[in-house]
């Protein structure tokens, strides 16, 4: 995934509470294993409503979504994060999230910002008025072009993943040289820690030579 340090732009003033993953991406879109094109199905039911924020010209292409409490609840489907990313969402601002959705968001390069309801209400006002919002992971702030400034917290490991553009596996692979060096030195000084799996491998190699 790409690295994210700063997201700036207009925002969708959605604000709905208890938005589950079926609202974010309906079940009939889950037949695909590809992430591409899921943005077309994002908030499908909401988009059937006249005047919805997702189809409003003034919010088209916004990289930020402002939502209410418990965003991403319900099913654990990662397709919800895929759909948001495919529609161009890079950050979500809400008072709280489902834990699984929050984790899936980070794995897909989406910043899940937690802010108090008062801050969300103000950001909704700014977004409705066409103002710009900035999410900055370096300063851990959300600011607007109307001189608003809010601070937020994010798990340090998740912040690192987002800023380096790596998921958990990617961060582990980035340390492959150090890990291999440690394991090599550990085996050289304490060969017994390799256990039965190492001994079994040696036995198989020996049997193959006979």
């Amino acid at each position: 995934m790409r690295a994210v340090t700063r997201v700036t732009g207009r925002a969708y003033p959605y604000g709905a509470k208890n938005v589950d993953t079926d609202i974010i991406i309906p079940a009939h879109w889950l037949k695909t294993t590809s992430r591409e094109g899921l943005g077309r199905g994002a908030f499908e039911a909401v988009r059937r409503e006249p005047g919805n924020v997702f189809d409003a010209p003034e919010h088209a292409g916004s990289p930020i979504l402002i939502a209410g409490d418990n965003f991403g609840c319900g099913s654990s489907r990662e397709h919800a994060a895929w759909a948001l990313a495919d529609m161009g969402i890079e950050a979500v601002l809400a008072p709280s999230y489902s834990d699984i959705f929050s984790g899936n968001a980070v794995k897909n390069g989406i910043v899940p910002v937690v802010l108090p309801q008062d801050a969300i209400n103000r950001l909704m006002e700014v977004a409705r008025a066409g103002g710009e919002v900035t999410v900055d992971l370096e300063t851990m702030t959300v600011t607007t072009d109307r001189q608003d400034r809010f601070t937020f917290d994010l798990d340090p490991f998740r912040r690192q993943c987002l800023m380096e553009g790596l998921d958990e596996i990617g961060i582990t692979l980035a340390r492959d040289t150090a890990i291999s060096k440690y394991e090599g030195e550990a085996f050289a000084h304490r060969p017994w820690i390799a256990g039965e799996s190492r001994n079994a491998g040696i036995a198989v190699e020996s049997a193959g030579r006979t």
Side-chain angles (χ1 to χ4, degrees), residues 143-162:
T143 56
T144 75
D145 57 2
R146 313 296 166 90
Q147 307 308 310
D148 300 288
R149 180 184 178 88
F150 307 102
T151 59
F152 66 93
D153 294 319
L154 185 64
D155 175 81
F157 179 71
R158 289 185 171 182
R159 179 172 179 252
Q160 179 188 6
C161 288
L162 288 163

Side-chain angles (χ1 to χ4, degrees), residues 11-26:
Y12 293 106
Y14 184 36
K17 297 181 179 181
N18 300 313
V19 174
D20 64 31
T21 51
D22 193 54
I23 293 175
I24 298 172
I25 186 70

Side-chain angles (χ1 to χ4, degrees), residues 4 7 63-66 88-93 97 109-113 135:
V4 181
V7 182
I64 298 170
L65 172 65
I66 304 173
I89 298 297
E90 300 175 38
V92 180
L93 316 180
Y97 301 87
I110 300 172
V111 186
V113 177
V135 177

